[in-house]
Amino acid sequence: MEFMTGVSNRETIEIGALSEALGDGGSVVDGKSVKVNGIVHAVRDMGDVSFVILRKREGLLQCVLEEGKTDLKLKELKAETAVEAEGVLKTEKRAPNGFEIRLEKIRILSAPEAPLPLSISGRKLNTSLEAKLDNRSVSLRNIRERAKFKIQEGIVRGFRDFLYRQGFTEIHTPKIGARGAEGGANLFRMDYFHKPAVLAQSPQFYKQMMVGVFERVFETAPVFRAEKHNTRRHLNEYTSLDFEMGFIDGFFDIMEMETGFLQETISLLEREYAAELRILDVTLPKTERIPVIRFDEAKRKVSEKYGRPIRNPHDLEPEEEALIGRYAKEEFDADFIFITHYPSAKRPFYAMDDPADASVTLSFDLLFGGMEITTGGQRIHDYQMLRKKIEKRGMTTEGMEPYLDTFKYGMPPHGGLGIGLERLTMKLLGEENVRETTLFPRDLSRLEP
Amino acid sequence: MEFMTGVSNRETIEIGALSEALGDGGSVVDGKSVKVNGIVHAVRDMGDVSFVILRKREGLLQCVLEEGKTDLKLKELKAETAVEAEGVLKTEKRAPNGFEIRLEKIRILSAPEAPLPLSISGRKLNTSLEAKLDNRSVSLRNIRERAKFKIQEGIVRGFRDFLYRQGFTEIHTPKIGARGAEGGANLFRMDYFHKPAVLAQSPQFYKQMMVGVFERVFETAPVFRAEKHNTRRHLNEYTSLDFEMGFIDGFFDIMEMETGFLQETISLLEREYAAELRILDVTLPKTERIPVIRFDEAKRKVSEKYGRPIRNPHDLEPEEEALIGRYAKEEFDADFIFITHYPSAKRPFYAMDDPADASVTLSFDLLFGGMEITTGGQRIHDYQMLRKKIEKRGMTTEGMEPYLDTFKYGMPPHGGLGIGLERLTMKLLGEENVRETTLFPRDLSRLEP
């Protein structure tokens, strides 16, 4: 009988381990024999010697092939061939990691069938967004393209790690349901065993229900919005970073928590994603102090300062958001700004109205570089207040009983927020289109790959 | 201008911090004044004094209310009332955490509208599964019920933390697509802006596409299966823990990685989820060495040993799985067992056939306590081999071009697996129905809450 006992050591060695082995200056292990694997990312034929650049999960690895040193013909080493190689370590200041491998043996593990439809070995892909998305599994092999999604991983890690430490519990709530949390026209509808069903626009109802259980909960999961417009900042499916917390003194607690998340994430990225930040040439935003401004005041300020007339007093147009972002930068050298007290008319029924002025809510948006990346706020926790608000809006409570019962049987004061992961990544990396920071975007015209 | 600068210290204090403050014996802080919040979980009126048990996110907290000490009438403190309380710390060996709070002040933050439809303050809920699920936001407030989902959190954390350290990158792939990875009848269908679409049965195609990018990837996300049967181990929506890794020497690498994940998760649970394990009275399974047996041999062994005739040579019936689990326990004192070399006919087209015998695949299932919790294996990485297998099965390649192109442009040998989170949780906790370990289950008859 054979037994599995855990992960065994591999003969092949990774870049991180190689770098460590080299230590200070590397003189101690110069000449050491090593075995590595990787994908041929680029080959540069210099005549007597050739550089074979391997793409590995941690980065690029420079190998040197001297003519006649191995049996392999250079022309067999086409780009995207998977190989296992043996050779000798040599410090080399000009190589990507400060060392290279002088090849002695190469074995082909698998070879491509056709040459790439677009060149990926340059620093930056010189192609249209459409071509990138059409050839997604290839374009992502570009070092810069894939680095974006490593950063995206860091953001989600930062979110989870921070919230775990703050006493939050991770939850998994259903994406198929009988009705949407926000209602309205942007619901994807489907048939669920001959019953009408919808895809979740947000985990709103469920995370509120779970506040009564765990007090503080979060979820990182897909949400679905059947928005019928193609813009550079909307997706029809995206990853939502959601949290909800009980026993708040006010909605400022939610904004504080988000500020803490941003601070910790930036610090995690600096610490563990430095290589990707370098590849992407990103300057991380400032998160030490994030200004807070009321909705009406923000509107007035940018109207005065930038001479833009207020056309719609109940909502912010994208241009106004951009100007508020500019105001934050100019006045406070701030990359982020919280906008509070959004008009009640523009917020969902569960938003808590301000007791001092019922026309506005105890809610906020967070703008990053002049674009909304978060909506959050305090929710109604009182059963009667909730029922009255639903009635006032002319909504039906049909199908909402499981949600409403949560409040009937007692709920602490609470609130929370939702952050669009792809949009936050987009703004962090200074991209102009949210599809640039989405692995496989879904929009009005794109259902594949 | 106001600024957010991060999470500020709260006046109220949590159980963990209280326990720490008490230190060894607690004599040093006996008599210290503290402020706490929580939900009234139970009230026990003993005459002159009453015990008010607060439910907090970390557990239960015993408070003592002496008559006349506060303004509050005991009858105002109904179960599920959210309160803020002040009092004096007192060591008390018989209290849940070794201490209690002698109340001096209680403030009601929010009160329930109606008494609970089921009693939740006992150790165990005495109610049917149906009643539990119908009143989900209430039943989960039971300490034992919610502990299950804390353990589930630990499993997902263990999965991610282990894979991060093993060089995996987390990905987020779309759940709406043009076609399913496995095909077949169990696809949920929907309309996507007048185009036919399906919900993802698994992230299979996408995670394979990402192996060419990051070499090692994982995802923890919902998957959707329109299975038309209600069983105690199937859900129509569940959380799948998926990984896929390149440069494998064989499918044993995948089984090693899974063993490593299980070992680390068990250790994480022991370390950080001890309170919940105690509440649930769970003995964690053994993961030091997991036996490996071939499919045909397993079938033969249990037929011989337990006198069960082999009826279907191509698949394992649930009763056979249970017997194999019994065999593993009796022969090797093992809670888990890997079954390898499943018949090709029962595996998807992308499974790698055994070069020594094309009727079986280089694949495996992992059984836990006699039930399948994982399917995995090596995948075909050669473009021509993949096309031939698709052709041989009489499948169409229409709509599969983005997937097939991945192989055309080169892919390393690779493999991976998928683990059903709710089912793994169920087996770990010794539950008999997967709905017991699903927050809001979706099945043939349940679309709400």
Side-chain angles (χ1 to χ4, degrees):
Chain A
M1 181 59 51
E2 194 168 1
F3 293 91
M4 290 290 127
T5 55
V7 179
S8 46
N9 287 325
R10 302 184 74 88
E11 282 193 327
T12 48
I13 185 163
E14 298 303 318
I15 289 178
L18 282 169
S19 304
E20 266 174 41
L22 277 163
D24 53 338
S27 51
V28 280
V29 287
D30 246 3
K32 193 186 168 197
S33 289
V34 292
K35 193 190 260 190
V36 296
N37 57 33
I39 291 170
V40 176
H41 190 63
V43 177
R44 284 200 295 276
D45 188 348
M46 317 289 279
D48 286 350
V49 299
S50 299
F51 291 104
V52 177
I53 312 297
L54 293 186
R55 188 174 71 240
K56 294 180 62 59
R57 58 178 186 258
E58 295 173 291
L60 298 178
L61 178 60
Q62 178 168 309
C63 301
V64 183
L65 186 67
E66 277 180 74
E67 210 185 6
K69 266 266 186 165
T70 74
D71 310 345
L72 204 84
K73 297 277 177 296
L74 194 65
K75 67 172 194 288
E76 292 175 66
L77 278 186
K78 288 171 289 194
E80 298 305 306
T81 301
V83 298
E84 188 172 271
E86 289 174 60
V88 168
L89 270 181
K90 177 87 179 53
T91 43
E92 170 53 62
K93 292 253 165 346
R94 288 161 299 177
N97 316 287
F99 59 87
E100 61 187 17
I101 294 175
R102 303 288 176 106
L103 294 175
E104 289 172 346
K105 227 187 229 175
I106 304 187
R107 187 163 70 92
I108 291 181
L109 299 174
S110 100
E113 176 78 16
L116 290 174
L118 45 92
S119 168
I120 59 158
S121 61
R123 205 187 70 84
K124 216 167 162 170
L125 273 187
N126 280 318
T127 184
S128 70
L129 176 59
E130 284 303 299
K132 265 192 217 177
L133 298 179
D134 287 342
N135 300 282
R136 203 58 174 147
S137 72
V138 169
S139 63
L140 288 168
R141 296 179 186 183
N142 172 264
I143 290 299
R144 198 174 176 282
E145 290 300 315
R146 80 171 187 181
K148 296 179 193 173
F149 297 95
K150 204 73 198 170
I151 297 295
Q152 188 162 81
E153 167 189 273
I155 295 173
V156 184
R157 268 179 84 173
F159 185 75
R160 293 196 193 106
D161 289 352
F162 175 69
L163 294 180
Y164 284 138
R165 274 208 312 287
Q166 294 288 334
F168 284 74
T169 296
E170 181 175 12
I171 58 172
H172 306 276
T173 69
K175 303 310 156 202
I176 304 179
R179 57 167 290 155
E182 323 276 329
N186 70 349
L187 280 166
F188 281 113
R189 292 171 193 285
M190 59 176 286
D191 175 81
Y192 187 83
F193 303 118
H194 310 301
K195 277 178 286 217
V198 300
L199 294 183
Q201 295 157 309
S202 91
Q204 186 60 35
F205 285 5
Y206 293 104
K207 61 179 184 162
Q208 284 187 265
M209 286 158 87
M210 293 307 293
V211 164
V213 176
F214 282 124
E215 192 190 315
R216 295 180 166 193
V217 295
F218 75 88
E219 181 166 17
T220 58
V223 295
F224 309 90
R225 308 258 170 128
E227 309 281 3
K228 285 186 193 67
H229 46 251
N230 264 334
T231 79
R232 65 184 183 87
R233 62 186 196 163
H234 286 96
L235 293 165
N236 293 102
E237 174 178 349
Y238 68 88
T239 304
S240 187
L241 309 182
D242 273 276
F243 75 67
E244 200 77 15
M245 58 189 278
F247 293 99
I248 58 172
D249 295 322
F251 72 105
F252 278 65
D253 288 339
I254 316 292
M255 300 197 292
E256 282 193 352
M257 199 60 77
E258 179 161 29
T259 306
F261 146 62
L262 289 170
Q263 290 168 347
E264 294 247 345
T265 296
I266 295 299
S267 136
L268 175 69
L269 292 176
E270 282 171 346
R271 218 166 51 237
E272 299 198 25
Y273 294 81
E276 285 77 17
L277 292 173
R278 229 174 3 248
I279 289 168
L280 293 162
D281 195 17
V282 167
T283 308
L284 291 170
K286 293 191 180 70
T287 53
E288 294 74 29
R289 44 173 230 154
I290 300 181
V292 182
I293 188 169
R294 283 179 67 107
F295 176 89
D296 48 7
E297 194 190 338
K299 258 186 130 53
R300 194 172 46 76
K301 271 263 166 42
V302 301
S303 156
E304 283 169 15
K305 200 170 156 91
Y306 305 111
R308 192 178 187 285
I310 296 173
R311 287 190 297 212
N312 175 357
H314 300 303
D315 212 353
L316 289 180
E317 297 175 77
E319 296 72 22
E320 266 174 315
E321 287 189 354
L323 289 178
I324 297 172
R326 187 175 148 196
Y327 165 77
K329 194 73 194 170
E330 289 177 359
E331 292 282 316
F332 311 108
D333 191 23
D335 297 305
F336 295 90
I337 184 166
F338 283 109
I339 305 182
T340 65
H341 299 87
Y342 271 69
S344 222
K346 284 287 159 187
R347 292 301 216 200
F349 73 91
Y350 51 76
M352 175 81 94
D353 291 332
D354 187 349
D357 172 7
S359 75
V360 298
T361 50
L362 300 177
S363 75
F364 65 90
D365 272 14
L366 177 62
L367 306 192
F368 177 9
M371 190 180 289
E372 180 255 307
I373 56 157
T374 298
T375 296
Q378 182 163 0
R379 328 295 190 181
I380 299 174
H381 60 270
D382 182 83
Y383 180 66
Q384 290 304 343
M385 190 189 285
L386 194 58
R387 287 199 67 111
K388 271 185 207 127
K389 186 119 175 234
I390 290 170
E391 200 180 304
K392 210 173 124 194
R393 293 214 170 184
M395 291 167 59
T396 171
T397 56
E398 204 193 312
M400 282 179 64
E401 293 81 4
Y403 175 68
L404 291 173
D405 279 357
T406 309
F407 302 90
K408 189 154 119 190
Y409 302 125
M411 272 285 276
H414 66 284
L417 58 72
I419 304 171
L421 173 62
E422 294 82 355
R423 202 187 278 184
L424 172 52
T425 316
M426 163 195 174
K427 294 305 293 181
L428 195 76
L429 302 183
E431 292 288 348
E432 290 298 322
N433 193 311
V434 70
R435 290 161 189 77
E436 292 280 359
T437 51
T438 309
L439 274 185
F440 300 96
R442 291 291 174 262
D443 63 27
L444 260 183
S445 47
R446 189 172 287 278
L447 184 54
E448 291 180 283
Chain B
M1 179 63 49
E2 196 168 3
F3 294 91
M4 290 289 128
T5 55
V7 180
S8 45
N9 287 325
R10 301 184 73 87
E11 280 194 329
T12 49
I13 184 163
E14 298 303 318
I15 289 178
L18 282 169
S19 303
E20 264 174 44
L22 276 162
D24 54 339
S27 52
V28 278
V29 287
D30 245 6
K32 192 187 167 195
S33 290
V34 292
K35 192 190 262 191
V36 296
N37 58 34
I39 292 170
V40 176
H41 190 62
V43 177
R44 284 200 294 277
D45 188 347
M46 315 291 277
D48 286 351
V49 298
S50 300
F51 291 105
V52 178
I53 312 296
L54 293 187
R55 188 172 72 240
K56 294 182 59 60
R57 58 177 186 256
E58 295 173 289
L60 298 178
L61 178 61
Q62 179 167 308
C63 301
V64 182
L65 187 65
E66 277 180 75
E67 209 185 7
K69 266 268 186 165
T70 73
D71 310 344
L72 205 81
K73 297 275 175 296
L74 194 63
K75 66 171 196 290
E76 293 176 67
L77 278 186
K78 289 172 287 192
E80 298 305 306
T81 301
V83 299
E84 188 172 271
E86 287 174 61
V88 167
L89 269 181
K90 177 92 181 50
T91 43
E92 171 53 63
K93 290 252 167 343
R94 290 162 297 179
N97 316 288
F99 60 85
E100 60 187 19
I101 294 174
R102 304 290 176 103
L103 294 176
E104 290 173 344
K105 227 189 231 172
I106 303 187
R107 186 162 70 94
I108 291 181
L109 300 173
S110 97
E113 175 80 16
L116 289 174
L118 43 92
S119 166
I120 59 158
S121 62
R123 205 187 71 84
K124 217 169 162 168
L125 273 188
N126 281 318
T127 183
S128 70
L129 175 58
E130 283 305 298
K132 263 192 220 177
L133 298 180
D134 286 342
N135 300 283
R136 204 56 174 148
S137 71
V138 169
S139 64
L140 288 168
R141 297 179 186 182
N142 173 263
I143 290 298
R144 197 174 176 284
E145 291 300 315
R146 80 171 187 181
K148 296 178 191 173
F149 298 95
K150 203 75 197 169
I151 297 294
Q152 189 162 81
E153 167 189 272
I155 295 173
V156 184
R157 267 179 83 173
F159 185 75
R160 292 197 195 108
D161 289 352
F162 175 68
L163 294 181
Y164 284 138
R165 274 209 310 287
Q166 295 289 332
F168 283 73
T169 297
E170 181 175 15
I171 57 173
H172 306 275
T173 69
K175 304 310 158 202
I176 304 179
R179 55 167 290 153
E182 324 274 328
N186 71 349
L187 280 166
F188 282 112
R189 292 171 194 285
M190 60 177 285
D191 175 81
Y192 187 84
F193 303 117
H194 310 301
K195 277 179 284 211
V198 300
L199 293 183
Q201 294 158 311
S202 90
Q204 186 61 35
F205 286 3
Y206 293 105
K207 62 181 182 159
Q208 285 187 263
M209 287 159 85
M210 293 308 293
V211 164
V213 176
F214 282 125
E215 191 190 316
R216 295 180 166 193
V217 294
F218 76 87
E219 180 165 17
T220 58
V223 295
F224 308 89
R225 308 257 171 130
E227 310 280 3
K228 287 190 191 62
H229 45 252
N230 264 335
T231 79
R232 66 185 183 87
R233 61 185 195 161
H234 286 96
L235 293 166
N236 293 102
E237 175 179 349
Y238 67 89
T239 304
S240 187
L241 309 182
D242 273 278
F243 75 68
E244 200 77 15
M245 58 189 277
F247 293 97
I248 58 172
D249 294 323
F251 72 105
F252 279 63
D253 288 338
I254 315 292
M255 300 198 294
E256 282 194 353
M257 198 59 75
E258 179 161 29
T259 307
F261 147 62
L262 289 169
Q263 291 168 348
E264 293 248 346
T265 297
I266 296 300
S267 136
L268 175 69
L269 291 176
E270 282 170 346
R271 216 166 52 237
E272 298 198 25
Y273 294 82
E276 285 78 17
L277 292 173
R278 230 173 6 248
I279 289 169
L280 294 161
D281 195 18
V282 167
T283 309
L284 290 170
K286 294 190 180 70
T287 52
E288 295 73 30
R289 42 173 230 153
I290 301 182
V292 182
I293 189 168
R294 281 179 67 105
F295 176 88
D296 49 8
E297 196 191 338
K299 258 185 130 55
R300 195 172 45 76
K301 272 266 167 44
V302 301
S303 157
E304 282 169 17
K305 199 170 157 94
Y306 305 110
R308 192 176 188 285
I310 295 173
R311 288 191 296 213
N312 175 358
H314 300 304
D315 211 351
L316 289 181
E317 296 173 78
E319 296 74 20
E320 265 174 316
E321 286 189 356
L323 288 177
I324 297 173
R326 186 174 148 196
Y327 166 76
K329 193 74 195 169
E330 290 177 0
E331 291 282 317
F332 312 108
D333 191 23
D335 298 304
F336 294 90
I337 184 166
F338 282 110
I339 306 182
T340 66
H341 299 89
Y342 271 70
S344 220
K346 283 286 159 187
R347 290 302 216 202
F349 74 91
Y350 52 75
M352 175 81 94
D353 290 333
D354 187 349
D357 173 5
S359 75
V360 298
T361 49
L362 300 178
S363 75
F364 66 91
D365 271 14
L366 177 63
L367 305 192
F368 178 10
M371 189 180 289
E372 180 256 308
I373 56 157
T374 297
T375 295
Q378 183 164 359
R379 329 294 190 182
I380 299 174
H381 60 269
D382 181 84
Y383 179 66
Q384 291 302 343
M385 189 188 286
L386 195 58
R387 287 199 67 111
K388 272 185 205 124
K389 187 122 174 233
I390 290 171
E391 200 179 305
K392 209 174 127 193
R393 296 217 167 178
M395 291 167 59
T396 172
T397 56
E398 204 193 311
M400 283 179 64
E401 294 81 4
Y403 175 68
L404 291 173
D405 279 356
T406 309
F407 302 90
K408 188 153 118 190
Y409 302 126
M411 271 285 276
H414 66 284
L417 57 72
I419 303 169
L421 172 62
E422 294 82 355
R423 203 188 275 184
L424 172 52
T425 315
M426 163 194 175
K427 295 305 292 181
L428 195 79
L429 302 183
E431 292 288 348
E432 291 298 321
N433 193 312
V434 68
R435 290 162 189 75
E436 292 279 0
T437 51
T438 309
L439 275 185
F440 300 95
R442 290 291 174 263
D443 63 26
L444 260 182
S445 46
R446 189 172 287 280
L447 183 55
E448 294 179 280

